[in-house]
Amino acid sequence: MFSSKGSALVCVDDDEIVLTVLSYQLKKVLSMGDELLEMCKDPLDVPGVIEGLLQEGYHVPLVIVDFKMPVLNGSALIRLLHSKHPELKFVMLSGEASDIQVEALYDDKLLHGFIAKPWSEEDIRRTILPLLSERIER
C-alpha cells in the first residue's frame, strides 16, 4: 500500500562517501520520481528515522544496510528493524560482511539481497529494482 507522499528508501553506512555515491547511483538507476532517499550514518538513528517517515505518511519498502558499523552491525540492525517492522525488505551492501551472519539472515528470510563493495550501477539495478517493482503498481 502506498501513501500519498510516496516511498522512502533508507540507506545506512557509517562512511559518508559511500552514502554520497550510493545516493547518486540510486537516483540515476531508479529514475526517482516521488521517492525520497534518507541517508543515515549512525545505525542507532535508523529506527527513529523510519518511525518518522511512516508517521509523515511515507511507505518504506527497502532499507540498504552496511555490515560493519560502530556500535551496531548491519546484521543486528536488520534484526532490530524487522522486529518492529516485519514488512520491510533489506539489502546488505558490504565489503566486510560475515558470511555466517549473512547466511543466517538469508536462512531467517530477513535478507532480500546482497551487494558486495565495491559495486557497480548494474549491481544496484540487478538487486534493487526487482525489490521495488511494486512501486510501479500504484
Side-chain angles (χ1 to χ4, degrees):
M1 176 176 172
F2 288 91
S3 69
S4 60
K5 284 215 173 186
S7 299
L9 305 183
V10 178
C11 303
V12 189
D13 197 303
D14 60 311
D15 185 332
E16 195 161 331
I17 293 171
V18 169
L19 289 176
T20 299
V21 172
L22 185 59
S23 172
Y24 171 79
Q25 289 179 328
L26 283 169
K27 287 175 184 174
K28 183 177 176 185
V29 168
L30 300 177
S31 302
M32 297 183 76
D34 61 352
E35 291 89 358
L36 173 71
L37 278 178
E38 190 69 41
M39 301 295 177
C40 299
K41 279 184 65 175
D42 187 340
L44 296 177
D45 291 342
V46 178
V49 167
I50 290 174
E51 287 296 329
L53 289 167
L54 293 172
Q55 287 176 3
E56 289 178 30
Y58 286 96
H59 169 67
V60 181
L62 180 68
V63 181
I64 301 172
V65 180
D66 183 25
F67 177 78
K68 189 174 180 184
M69 296 182 287
V71 184
L72 188 65
N73 73 28
S75 179
L77 178 60
I78 288 170
R79 291 184 183 283
L80 172 69
L81 293 173
H82 177 75
S83 72
K84 295 179 180 188
H85 305 284
E87 72 284 359
L88 288 178
K89 294 178 184 174
F90 299 97
V91 169
M92 188 169 284
L93 174 75
S94 185
E96 300 182 53
S98 159
D99 290 342
I100 293 169
Q101 290 189 24
V102 170
E103 285 180 34
L105 289 170
Y106 274 120
D107 289 346
D108 293 341
K109 296 182 180 20
L110 299 178
L111 194 61
H112 301 87
F114 184 90
I115 300 173
K117 291 179 182 176
W119 72 93
S120 69
E121 285 181 15
E122 184 55 34
D123 294 332
I124 291 174
R125 184 175 287 107
R126 184 177 43 251
T127 305
I128 304 295
L129 282 179
L131 297 173
L132 297 177
S133 61
E134 68 183 31
R135 72 190 179 108
I136 297 166
E137 301 168 8
R138 292 191 192 186

